[in-house]
Amino acid sequence: MVKRSYRVVYRVVSAASATNASATVMLYSASESEAIAELKKRGTISRDKDVIILSITPT
């Protein structure tokens, strides 16, 4: 299986606020759980934050 480049649009939710952002990541598939894991692994999102994936599109 080969990783492909995807643009992930997501929302980081904390007790005080919610912030939308996007990142380009290499994933095996357009899976929400894989995208969240990759963003947290890269340090893009703190491991203790809640994340909502808004969209995943191939680049």
Side-chain angles (χ1 to χ4, degrees):
M1 210 169 192
V2 177
K3 285 189 172 185
R4 294 182 53 197
S5 178
Y6 289 90
R7 181 171 183 265
V8 179
V9 179
Y10 58 94
R11 176 175 291 146
V12 179
V13 180
S14 66
S17 66
T19 305
N20 290 356
S22 68
T24 301
V25 294
M26 298 296 288
L27 304 172
Y28 288 108
S29 66
S31 159
E32 289 184 16
S33 59
E34 184 183 3
I36 292 169
E38 184 64 25
L39 290 167
K40 289 185 175 186
K41 182 176 113 181
R42 292 170 60 184
T44 306
I45 302 168
S46 300
R47 294 194 182 275
D48 63 334
K49 299 291 183 186
D50 291 326
V51 181
I52 300 168
I53 299 295
L54 303 175
S55 69
I56 302 175
T57 54
T59 59

